[in-house]
Amino acid sequence: MTLKIHVDHEAGAPYEQVRAQISEQARSGALPVGHKLPTVRGLAEELGLAANTVAKAYRALEADGVIETRGRNGTFIAAAGDAAERRAAAAAQAYAREARRLGLGHGAALDAVRDAVRAAYE
């Protein structure tokens, strides 16, 4: 199993593309728990990106619990693969409480979520 990343320089922030693709591959199992990722410099060279761009993506992935850095041993897909789902569920619960506090009805709250998700994924 290998890391497969394509960066479209016309399609937004490269660090976000790297972050999203690694996250999706970890979530889908294409990159299994414990899979060793390339070094920041190695991946940057492979993708034709600045090392700081890849480092930013790795920091975001680590904050999300998708990857873990083990010092000089390298960076690996983390065992806590469902960390993103837990954070998403917590954010959804916070949103639902806030929508209800604001007096939004069930349908209006769901419409707002659909619009936000559609905008984020387009």
Side-chain angles (χ1 to χ4, degrees):
M1 290 178 207
T2 61
L3 178 63
K4 296 174 187 164
I5 296 180
H6 172 73
V7 176
D8 180 354
H9 295 281
E10 307 286 321
Y15 97 88
E16 178 56 28
Q17 293 179 52
V18 171
R19 186 211 59 77
Q21 290 178 49
I22 291 174
S23 182
E24 176 55 34
Q25 290 177 49
R27 191 175 357 273
S28 73
L31 293 175
V33 170
H35 179 82
K36 186 173 184 178
L37 295 173
T39 64
V40 167
R41 283 191 184 134
L43 186 56
E45 283 180 23
E46 182 180 325
L47 298 175
L49 298 173
N52 285 339
T53 300
V54 174
K56 185 175 182 180
Y58 275 24
R59 282 192 303 272
L61 288 162
E62 192 157 26
D64 291 344
V66 175
I67 65 172
E68 59 187 5
T69 301
R70 300 179 191 161
R72 292 182 180 207
N73 291 322
T75 303
F76 300 83
I77 299 298
D82 64 339
E85 285 87 359
R86 285 194 308 269
R87 289 185 63 190
Q93 290 171 352
Y95 168 77
R97 285 191 301 272
E98 182 69 7
R100 186 169 187 180
R101 188 187 70 74
L102 293 170
L104 290 179
H106 185 266
L110 287 175
D111 288 343
V113 168
R114 280 190 203 93
D115 291 344
V117 169
R118 189 176 306 114
Y121 283 85
E122 288 181 354

